[in-house]
Amino acid sequence: MELHRNNSSSPSSSNSSSIATPNPHKTLSSSADPMHSWWESVSKARSRIHALAAILPSSSAHSLSALADSDRPALSLLSSHDAYQALSSSLSGSHSDPLCHWLYDTFLSSDPHLRLVVLSFIPLLSALYLSRIHSPDPPSLAGFEAVLLALYASETKSRNGKPLLVTIPDLSHPSIYHSPLRKPPSPNSTTTPSVGVISPPLEPQIAVKSTKRACIVGVALHCFYSQISQMPSWSKLEFCRFAAGWAGQDCPCRTEFDRLNTSTSNDGNGSGDGEIDNGNGNVEIEEVAEEMGNLQIRKDSSACESPKGKGDRIPLPWEILQPTLRILGHCLLGPLNSTDVKDAAAYAVRCLYARASHDLVPQAILATRSLIQLDIRTREAAMAAASATANANTPTKLKKPEILLVSK
């Protein structure tokens, strides 16, 4: 206000100040304009898609151009299975691989949706890198390592030298949600919660050394897990296939904890042909056994098969196995996941349990066994709910009224 009054008294000073000093309200409105930021994000995503179309074969260029013309091109690219297949079939991982350069530059962009596109390729990139780096004659994989180092550097910066911790509840104290405290704790008593370290502090790395390779790949898998709710289903499905191949164990101990039956019965009411008499004729049950059978693990499903050359048996240190099990836990128990993803995750967890049992790794045995038990209980609960729903909707035969004879 004072500046405005001083400028109004002197027209010359007002003109000079208006030229030399920009209007702060105008600058703020232009930078905070949602339409401007949206258009900037769309333009950046379209330029990245056009750059990808120039790299891929001409057969995929038309579909990518259609994605670039959408209102949300980055999310359209993320949800396009054709674009995923086209990029995954052309990855080589060498230093001169243009697709690795595209993934690297795209991840360094500030657009969060473009970063999600790069994160969706982490299962494929990790599987290709780990299978080839452990081959007898490993090729040059500098392109893959550049992308992994970019992910590692971003996570190192975001953690700011701090570890990832989890608070473990103290089971020696009663839960306030189940039983009330009988007496209030004394003011002098202090309880220190148990803290578990998920990941220690990260140190900056400028190259993928053999001693730090597992940590760098594990951090990349953690980045995928942190955004797994936004990942497409085929990316989760491929990771489950890769994890089953990494385990490399298909022995009978894999099915040690499975208690689900392959066939179900009608539990009584009606004949063995799946029909019941309701007084008006025989009514066929609506394929209840088939629906309940779909809740079981489809062991012969193609969802459980590992892609050739991408899921070979590899060493599984805890730095890689821990984020792998966290991802599989989401794929196994996530309510919005498809049946194929859940079945593939169940198969992979059982393969990893067999691998951990043969390698005698206690923490891996405990983790995989817990996931298997959770999977079994979830499937049993779903089968019980399906059976109860079927029984509630099934008409039953009306009983004749009972006649009581009383002697005089």
Side-chain angles (χ1 to χ4, degrees), residues 21-61:
T21 305
N23 190 347
H25 299 285
K26 183 179 180 179
T27 304
L28 181 61
S29 61
S30 61
S31 61
D33 185 9
M35 191 66 181
H36 175 75
S37 59
W38 171 82
W39 178 249
E40 183 180 359
S41 176
V42 169
S43 301
K44 187 180 299 183
R46 287 179 177 175
S47 64
R48 298 309 303 163
I49 293 177
H50 287 309
L52 179 62
I55 298 172
L56 293 176
S58 57
S59 58
S60 305

mmCIF file of all heavy atoms in Angstrom, residues 21-61:
data_model
loop_
_atom_site.group_PDB
_atom_site.id
_atom_site.type_symbol
_atom_site.label_atom_id
_atom_site.label_comp_id
_atom_site.label_asym_id
_atom_site.label_seq_id
_atom_site.Cartn_x
_atom_site.Cartn_y
_atom_site.Cartn_z
ATOM 1 N N THR A 21 10.344 -3.702 -11.991
ATOM 2 C CA THR A 21 9.907 -4.711 -11.016
ATOM 3 C C THR A 21 8.683 -5.438 -11.554
ATOM 4 O O THR A 21 7.664 -4.798 -11.827
ATOM 5 C CB THR A 21 9.566 -4.044 -9.678
ATOM 6 O OG1 THR A 21 10.686 -3.287 -9.248
ATOM 7 C CG2 THR A 21 9.212 -5.096 -8.627
ATOM 8 N N PRO A 22 8.749 -6.757 -11.741
ATOM 9 C CA PRO A 22 7.563 -7.492 -12.205
ATOM 10 C C PRO A 22 6.522 -7.590 -11.105
ATOM 11 O O PRO A 22 6.825 -7.463 -9.922
ATOM 12 C CB PRO A 22 8.139 -8.876 -12.560
ATOM 13 C CG PRO A 22 9.342 -9.009 -11.686
ATOM 14 C CD PRO A 22 9.910 -7.624 -11.550
ATOM 15 N N ASN A 23 5.296 -7.801 -11.523
ATOM 16 C CA ASN A 23 4.194 -7.916 -10.578
ATOM 17 C C ASN A 23 4.271 -9.275 -9.886
ATOM 18 O O ASN A 23 4.193 -10.317 -10.537
ATOM 19 C CB ASN A 23 2.856 -7.796 -11.330
ATOM 20 C CG ASN A 23 1.675 -7.667 -10.374
ATOM 21 O OD1 ASN A 23 1.826 -7.910 -9.178
ATOM 22 N ND2 ASN A 23 0.531 -7.287 -10.922
ATOM 23 N N PRO A 24 4.440 -9.304 -8.558
ATOM 24 C CA PRO A 24 4.577 -10.600 -7.887
ATOM 25 C C PRO A 24 3.303 -11.428 -7.972
ATOM 26 O O PRO A 24 3.355 -12.650 -8.032
ATOM 27 C CB PRO A 24 4.911 -10.214 -6.435
ATOM 28 C CG PRO A 24 4.378 -8.831 -6.270
ATOM 29 C CD PRO A 24 4.517 -8.183 -7.604
ATOM 30 N N HIS A 25 2.123 -10.783 -7.984
ATOM 31 C CA HIS A 25 0.876 -11.529 -8.069
ATOM 32 C C HIS A 25 0.733 -12.197 -9.427
ATOM 33 O O HIS A 25 0.242 -13.313 -9.543
ATOM 34 C CB HIS A 25 -0.305 -10.592 -7.815
ATOM 35 C CG HIS A 25 -0.265 -9.960 -6.460
ATOM 36 N ND1 HIS A 25 -0.583 -10.655 -5.317
ATOM 37 C CD2 HIS A 25 0.080 -8.698 -6.066
ATOM 38 C CE1 HIS A 25 -0.462 -9.844 -4.254
ATOM 39 N NE2 HIS A 25 -0.061 -8.661 -4.699
ATOM 40 N N LYS A 26 1.205 -11.547 -10.468
ATOM 41 C CA LYS A 26 1.148 -12.121 -11.804
ATOM 42 C C LYS A 26 2.067 -13.337 -11.913
ATOM 43 O O LYS A 26 1.724 -14.351 -12.511
ATOM 44 C CB LYS A 26 1.522 -11.054 -12.829
ATOM 45 C CG LYS A 26 1.414 -11.554 -14.268
ATOM 46 C CD LYS A 26 1.766 -10.449 -15.229
ATOM 47 C CE LYS A 26 1.656 -10.942 -16.675
ATOM 48 N NZ LYS A 26 1.981 -9.875 -17.641
ATOM 49 N N THR A 27 3.267 -13.226 -11.336
ATOM 50 C CA THR A 27 4.196 -14.356 -11.365
ATOM 51 C C THR A 27 3.651 -15.532 -10.585
ATOM 52 O O THR A 27 3.733 -16.684 -11.011
ATOM 53 C CB THR A 27 5.547 -13.924 -10.771
ATOM 54 O OG1 THR A 27 6.012 -12.788 -11.500
ATOM 55 C CG2 THR A 27 6.562 -15.057 -10.858
ATOM 56 N N LEU A 28 3.065 -15.261 -9.452
ATOM 57 C CA LEU A 28 2.517 -16.335 -8.622
ATOM 58 C C LEU A 28 1.358 -17.029 -9.329
ATOM 59 O O LEU A 28 1.236 -18.247 -9.316
ATOM 60 C CB LEU A 28 2.065 -15.765 -7.280
ATOM 61 C CG LEU A 28 1.492 -16.777 -6.277
ATOM 62 C CD1 LEU A 28 2.521 -17.819 -5.925
ATOM 63 C CD2 LEU A 28 0.987 -16.054 -5.031
ATOM 64 N N SER A 29 0.499 -16.253 -9.975
ATOM 65 C CA SER A 29 -0.649 -16.858 -10.638
ATOM 66 C C SER A 29 -0.231 -17.708 -11.820
ATOM 67 O O SER A 29 -0.816 -18.747 -12.097
ATOM 68 C CB SER A 29 -1.620 -15.761 -11.091
ATOM 69 O OG SER A 29 -0.982 -14.899 -12.019
ATOM 70 N N SER A 30 0.818 -17.271 -12.552
ATOM 71 C CA SER A 30 1.253 -18.062 -13.699
ATOM 72 C C SER A 30 1.911 -19.357 -13.280
ATOM 73 O O SER A 30 1.766 -20.376 -13.934
ATOM 74 C CB SER A 30 2.215 -17.236 -14.558
ATOM 75 O OG SER A 30 3.370 -16.891 -13.790
ATOM 76 N N SER A 31 2.659 -19.319 -12.156
ATOM 77 C CA SER A 31 3.329 -20.539 -11.709
ATOM 78 C C SER A 31 2.367 -21.499 -11.039
ATOM 79 O O SER A 31 2.590 -22.703 -11.057
ATOM 80 C CB SER A 31 4.463 -20.183 -10.741
ATOM 81 O OG SER A 31 3.934 -19.524 -9.605
ATOM 82 N N ALA A 32 1.296 -20.982 -10.439
ATOM 83 C CA ALA A 32 0.340 -21.834 -9.753
ATOM 84 C C ALA A 32 -0.872 -22.153 -10.604
ATOM 85 O O ALA A 32 -1.831 -22.726 -10.115
ATOM 86 C CB ALA A 32 -0.104 -21.166 -8.449
ATOM 87 N N ASP A 33 -0.848 -21.773 -11.864
ATOM 88 C CA ASP A 33 -1.980 -22.035 -12.741
ATOM 89 C C ASP A 33 -2.060 -23.532 -13.021
ATOM 90 O O ASP A 33 -1.141 -24.113 -13.606
ATOM 91 C CB ASP A 33 -1.805 -21.258 -14.047
ATOM 92 C CG ASP A 33 -3.018 -21.396 -14.956
ATOM 93 O OD1 ASP A 33 -4.027 -21.943 -14.489
ATOM 94 O OD2 ASP A 33 -2.938 -20.967 -16.119
ATOM 95 N N PRO A 34 -3.136 -24.223 -12.612
ATOM 96 C CA PRO A 34 -3.208 -25.672 -12.842
ATOM 97 C C PRO A 34 -3.260 -26.022 -14.318
ATOM 98 O O PRO A 34 -2.757 -27.061 -14.733
ATOM 99 C CB PRO A 34 -4.488 -26.073 -12.104
ATOM 100 C CG PRO A 34 -5.294 -24.829 -12.006
ATOM 101 C CD PRO A 34 -4.313 -23.708 -11.902
ATOM 102 N N MET A 35 -3.864 -25.144 -15.133
ATOM 103 C CA MET A 35 -3.941 -25.418 -16.562
ATOM 104 C C MET A 35 -2.560 -25.386 -17.196
ATOM 105 O O MET A 35 -2.231 -26.219 -18.051
ATOM 106 C CB MET A 35 -4.854 -24.388 -17.231
ATOM 107 C CG MET A 35 -5.214 -24.734 -18.662
ATOM 108 S SD MET A 35 -6.227 -26.232 -18.709
ATOM 109 C CE MET A 35 -6.460 -26.382 -20.492
ATOM 110 N N HIS A 36 -1.734 -24.460 -16.734
ATOM 111 C CA HIS A 36 -0.377 -24.350 -17.270
ATOM 112 C C HIS A 36 0.459 -25.563 -16.877
ATOM 113 O O HIS A 36 1.181 -26.135 -17.713
ATOM 114 C CB HIS A 36 0.281 -23.064 -16.765
ATOM 115 C CG HIS A 36 1.714 -22.925 -17.161
ATOM 116 N ND1 HIS A 36 2.102 -22.585 -18.454
ATOM 117 C CD2 HIS A 36 2.863 -23.102 -16.446
ATOM 118 C CE1 HIS A 36 3.426 -22.546 -18.511
ATOM 119 N NE2 HIS A 36 3.915 -22.853 -17.316
ATOM 120 N N SER A 37 0.373 -25.992 -15.622
ATOM 121 C CA SER A 37 1.139 -27.148 -15.183
ATOM 122 C C SER A 37 0.655 -28.429 -15.865
ATOM 123 O O SER A 37 1.452 -29.307 -16.198
ATOM 124 C CB SER A 37 1.043 -27.300 -13.663
ATOM 125 O OG SER A 37 -0.307 -27.460 -13.258
ATOM 126 N N TRP A 38 -0.665 -28.529 -16.085
ATOM 127 C CA TRP A 38 -1.195 -29.709 -16.783
ATOM 128 C C TRP A 38 -0.669 -29.774 -18.214
ATOM 129 O O TRP A 38 -0.236 -30.827 -18.685
ATOM 130 C CB TRP A 38 -2.717 -29.667 -16.784
ATOM 131 C CG TRP A 38 -3.339 -30.718 -17.654
ATOM 132 C CD1 TRP A 38 -3.565 -32.023 -17.350
ATOM 133 C CD2 TRP A 38 -3.815 -30.532 -19.001
ATOM 134 N NE1 TRP A 38 -4.133 -32.675 -18.414
ATOM 135 C CE2 TRP A 38 -4.311 -31.784 -19.443
ATOM 136 C CE3 TRP A 38 -3.870 -29.442 -19.874
ATOM 137 C CZ2 TRP A 38 -4.844 -31.967 -20.713
ATOM 138 C CZ3 TRP A 38 -4.403 -29.621 -21.135
ATOM 139 C CH2 TRP A 38 -4.886 -30.866 -21.543
ATOM 140 N N TRP A 39 -0.689 -28.648 -18.890
ATOM 141 C CA TRP A 39 -0.225 -28.639 -20.275
ATOM 142 C C TRP A 39 1.278 -28.908 -20.350
ATOM 143 O O TRP A 39 1.745 -29.579 -21.284
ATOM 144 C CB TRP A 39 -0.562 -27.300 -20.929
ATOM 145 C CG TRP A 39 -0.067 -27.210 -22.347
ATOM 146 C CD1 TRP A 39 0.925 -26.422 -22.832
ATOM 147 C CD2 TRP A 39 -0.569 -27.965 -23.455
ATOM 148 N NE1 TRP A 39 1.095 -26.638 -24.168
ATOM 149 C CE2 TRP A 39 0.193 -27.581 -24.582
ATOM 150 C CE3 TRP A 39 -1.562 -28.922 -23.594
ATOM 151 C CZ2 TRP A 39 -0.030 -28.118 -25.844
ATOM 152 C CZ3 TRP A 39 -1.777 -29.472 -24.858
ATOM 153 C CH2 TRP A 39 -1.014 -29.065 -25.960
ATOM 154 N N GLU A 40 2.013 -28.414 -19.387
ATOM 155 C CA GLU A 40 3.451 -28.679 -19.369
ATOM 156 C C GLU A 40 3.721 -30.168 -19.164
ATOM 157 O O GLU A 40 4.608 -30.756 -19.809
ATOM 158 C CB GLU A 40 4.115 -27.869 -18.256
ATOM 159 C CG GLU A 40 5.627 -28.013 -18.207
ATOM 160 C CD GLU A 40 6.246 -27.188 -17.094
ATOM 161 O OE1 GLU A 40 5.477 -26.508 -16.385
ATOM 162 O OE2 GLU A 40 7.481 -27.235 -16.940
ATOM 163 N N SER A 41 2.953 -30.815 -18.278
ATOM 164 C CA SER A 41 3.103 -32.244 -18.055
ATOM 165 C C SER A 41 2.721 -33.042 -19.298
ATOM 166 O O SER A 41 3.399 -34.013 -19.656
ATOM 167 C CB SER A 41 2.247 -32.675 -16.858
ATOM 168 O OG SER A 41 2.305 -34.067 -16.666
ATOM 169 N N VAL A 42 1.634 -32.654 -19.953
ATOM 170 C CA VAL A 42 1.207 -33.351 -21.168
ATOM 171 C C VAL A 42 2.245 -33.200 -22.270
ATOM 172 O O VAL A 42 2.570 -34.167 -22.976
ATOM 173 C CB VAL A 42 -0.170 -32.826 -21.612
ATOM 174 C CG1 VAL A 42 -0.516 -33.330 -23.008
ATOM 175 C CG2 VAL A 42 -1.252 -33.253 -20.634
ATOM 176 N N SER A 43 2.782 -32.004 -22.436
ATOM 177 C CA SER A 43 3.789 -31.784 -23.478
ATOM 178 C C SER A 43 5.045 -32.607 -23.222
ATOM 179 O O SER A 43 5.626 -33.185 -24.156
ATOM 180 C CB SER A 43 4.139 -30.297 -23.541
ATOM 181 O OG SER A 43 2.994 -29.521 -23.827
ATOM 182 N N LYS A 44 5.448 -32.677 -21.970
ATOM 183 C CA LYS A 44 6.636 -33.466 -21.633
ATOM 184 C C LYS A 44 6.393 -34.950 -21.894
ATOM 185 O O LYS A 44 7.267 -35.652 -22.439
ATOM 186 C CB LYS A 44 7.012 -33.235 -20.175
ATOM 187 C CG LYS A 44 8.326 -33.873 -19.753
ATOM 188 C CD LYS A 44 8.602 -33.594 -18.295
ATOM 189 C CE LYS A 44 8.721 -32.109 -18.024
ATOM 190 N NZ LYS A 44 9.066 -31.824 -16.611
ATOM 191 N N ALA A 45 5.218 -35.442 -21.520
ATOM 192 C CA ALA A 45 4.907 -36.861 -21.738
ATOM 193 C C ALA A 45 4.826 -37.171 -23.226
ATOM 194 O O ALA A 45 5.293 -38.229 -23.684
ATOM 195 C CB ALA A 45 3.601 -37.215 -21.041
ATOM 196 N N ARG A 46 4.236 -36.284 -24.005
ATOM 197 C CA ARG A 46 4.145 -36.524 -25.441
ATOM 198 C C ARG A 46 5.517 -36.547 -26.101
ATOM 199 O O ARG A 46 5.765 -37.364 -27.003
ATOM 200 C CB ARG A 46 3.261 -35.449 -26.079
ATOM 201 C CG ARG A 46 1.778 -35.614 -25.762
ATOM 202 C CD ARG A 46 0.933 -34.521 -26.381
ATOM 203 N NE ARG A 46 -0.498 -34.762 -26.118
ATOM 204 C CZ ARG A 46 -1.463 -33.914 -26.459
ATOM 205 N NH1 ARG A 46 -1.156 -32.769 -27.079
ATOM 206 N NH2 ARG A 46 -2.723 -34.214 -26.201
ATOM 207 N N SER A 47 6.401 -35.673 -25.665
ATOM 208 C CA SER A 47 7.750 -35.682 -26.235
ATOM 209 C C SER A 47 8.482 -36.965 -25.900
ATOM 210 O O SER A 47 9.213 -37.520 -26.742
ATOM 211 C CB SER A 47 8.533 -34.469 -25.725
ATOM 212 O OG SER A 47 8.724 -34.545 -24.316
ATOM 213 N N ARG A 48 8.275 -37.510 -24.692
ATOM 214 C CA ARG A 48 8.924 -38.771 -24.325
ATOM 215 C C ARG A 48 8.334 -39.945 -25.116
ATOM 216 O O ARG A 48 9.056 -40.876 -25.492
ATOM 217 C CB ARG A 48 8.769 -39.030 -22.832
ATOM 218 C CG ARG A 48 9.410 -38.016 -21.916
ATOM 219 C CD ARG A 48 10.859 -37.758 -22.274
ATOM 220 N NE ARG A 48 11.641 -38.987 -22.266
ATOM 221 C CZ ARG A 48 12.838 -39.105 -22.856
ATOM 222 N NH1 ARG A 48 13.359 -38.066 -23.495
ATOM 223 N NH2 ARG A 48 13.499 -40.238 -22.808
ATOM 224 N N ILE A 49 7.028 -39.902 -25.378
ATOM 225 C CA ILE A 49 6.407 -40.974 -26.153
ATOM 226 C C ILE A 49 6.872 -40.932 -27.603
ATOM 227 O O ILE A 49 7.153 -41.972 -28.213
ATOM 228 C CB ILE A 49 4.875 -40.879 -26.054
ATOM 229 C CG1 ILE A 49 4.420 -41.179 -24.617
ATOM 230 C CG2 ILE A 49 4.199 -41.839 -27.025
ATOM 231 C CD1 ILE A 49 2.923 -41.036 -24.412
ATOM 232 N N HIS A 50 6.974 -39.739 -28.155
ATOM 233 C CA HIS A 50 7.468 -39.620 -29.531
ATOM 234 C C HIS A 50 8.932 -40.074 -29.613
ATOM 235 O O HIS A 50 9.330 -40.682 -30.620
ATOM 236 C CB HIS A 50 7.328 -38.187 -30.021
ATOM 237 C CG HIS A 50 5.907 -37.781 -30.306
ATOM 238 N ND1 HIS A 50 5.062 -38.515 -31.101
ATOM 239 C CD2 HIS A 50 5.177 -36.710 -29.880
ATOM 240 C CE1 HIS A 50 3.878 -37.929 -31.171
ATOM 241 N NE2 HIS A 50 3.912 -36.824 -30.436
ATOM 242 N N ALA A 51 9.701 -39.789 -28.589
ATOM 243 C CA ALA A 51 11.093 -40.265 -28.576
ATOM 244 C C ALA A 51 11.143 -41.788 -28.508
ATOM 245 O O ALA A 51 12.003 -42.421 -29.133
ATOM 246 C CB ALA A 51 11.839 -39.653 -27.385
ATOM 247 N N LEU A 52 10.221 -42.402 -27.765
ATOM 248 C CA LEU A 52 10.168 -43.862 -27.697
ATOM 249 C C LEU A 52 9.710 -44.450 -29.027
ATOM 250 O O LEU A 52 10.227 -45.493 -29.462
ATOM 251 C CB LEU A 52 9.216 -44.287 -26.578
ATOM 252 C CG LEU A 52 9.015 -45.790 -26.377
ATOM 253 C CD1 LEU A 52 10.330 -46.457 -26.007
ATOM 254 C CD2 LEU A 52 7.960 -46.054 -25.296
ATOM 255 N N ALA A 53 8.753 -43.806 -29.686
ATOM 256 C CA ALA A 53 8.285 -44.301 -30.984
ATOM 257 C C ALA A 53 9.386 -44.266 -32.027
ATOM 258 O O ALA A 53 9.420 -45.109 -32.935
ATOM 259 C CB ALA A 53 7.082 -43.476 -31.446
ATOM 260 N N ALA A 54 10.302 -43.304 -31.932
ATOM 261 C CA ALA A 54 11.411 -43.239 -32.879
ATOM 262 C C ALA A 54 12.421 -44.354 -32.668
ATOM 263 O O ALA A 54 13.178 -44.689 -33.585
ATOM 264 C CB ALA A 54 12.098 -41.874 -32.770
ATOM 265 N N ILE A 55 12.434 -44.946 -31.466
ATOM 266 C CA ILE A 55 13.397 -46.012 -31.155
ATOM 267 C C ILE A 55 12.845 -47.383 -31.521
ATOM 268 O O ILE A 55 13.551 -48.230 -32.076
ATOM 269 C CB ILE A 55 13.766 -45.972 -29.663
ATOM 270 C CG1 ILE A 55 14.428 -44.642 -29.317
ATOM 271 C CG2 ILE A 55 14.694 -47.123 -29.305
ATOM 272 C CD1 ILE A 55 14.647 -44.454 -27.836
ATOM 273 N N LEU A 56 11.566 -47.607 -31.214
ATOM 274 C CA LEU A 56 10.954 -48.917 -31.424
ATOM 275 C C LEU A 56 10.702 -49.163 -32.908
ATOM 276 O O LEU A 56 10.746 -48.238 -33.728
ATOM 277 C CB LEU A 56 9.651 -48.990 -30.636
ATOM 278 C CG LEU A 56 9.780 -48.981 -29.110
ATOM 279 C CD1 LEU A 56 8.404 -48.954 -28.464
ATOM 280 C CD2 LEU A 56 10.571 -50.176 -28.621
ATOM 281 N N PRO A 57 10.434 -50.423 -33.273
ATOM 282 C CA PRO A 57 10.115 -50.723 -34.676
ATOM 283 C C PRO A 57 8.903 -49.949 -35.169
ATOM 284 O O PRO A 57 8.065 -49.494 -34.403
ATOM 285 C CB PRO A 57 9.858 -52.241 -34.657
ATOM 286 C CG PRO A 57 10.596 -52.739 -33.469
ATOM 287 C CD PRO A 57 10.547 -51.639 -32.448
ATOM 288 N N SER A 58 8.831 -49.811 -36.495
ATOM 289 C CA SER A 58 7.769 -49.003 -37.095
ATOM 290 C C SER A 58 6.386 -49.585 -36.842
ATOM 291 O O SER A 58 5.389 -48.857 -36.875
ATOM 292 C CB SER A 58 8.004 -48.879 -38.603
ATOM 293 O OG SER A 58 8.069 -50.169 -39.208
ATOM 294 N N SER A 59 6.300 -50.893 -36.566
ATOM 295 C CA SER A 59 4.994 -51.506 -36.312
ATOM 296 C C SER A 59 4.357 -50.990 -35.032
ATOM 297 O O SER A 59 3.130 -51.045 -34.877
ATOM 298 C CB SER A 59 5.141 -53.030 -36.242
ATOM 299 O OG SER A 59 6.068 -53.395 -35.230
ATOM 300 N N SER A 60 5.160 -50.504 -34.102
ATOM 301 C CA SER A 60 4.638 -49.994 -32.836
ATOM 302 C C SER A 60 4.503 -48.483 -32.816
ATOM 303 O O SER A 60 3.986 -47.932 -31.849
ATOM 304 C CB SER A 60 5.545 -50.425 -31.678
ATOM 305 O OG SER A 60 5.717 -51.822 -31.654
ATOM 306 N N ALA A 61 4.977 -47.808 -33.853
ATOM 307 C CA ALA A 61 4.964 -46.344 -33.847
ATOM 308 C C ALA A 61 3.546 -45.796 -33.907
ATOM 309 O O ALA A 61 3.235 -44.781 -33.269
ATOM 310 C CB ALA A 61 5.791 -45.817 -35.020
#
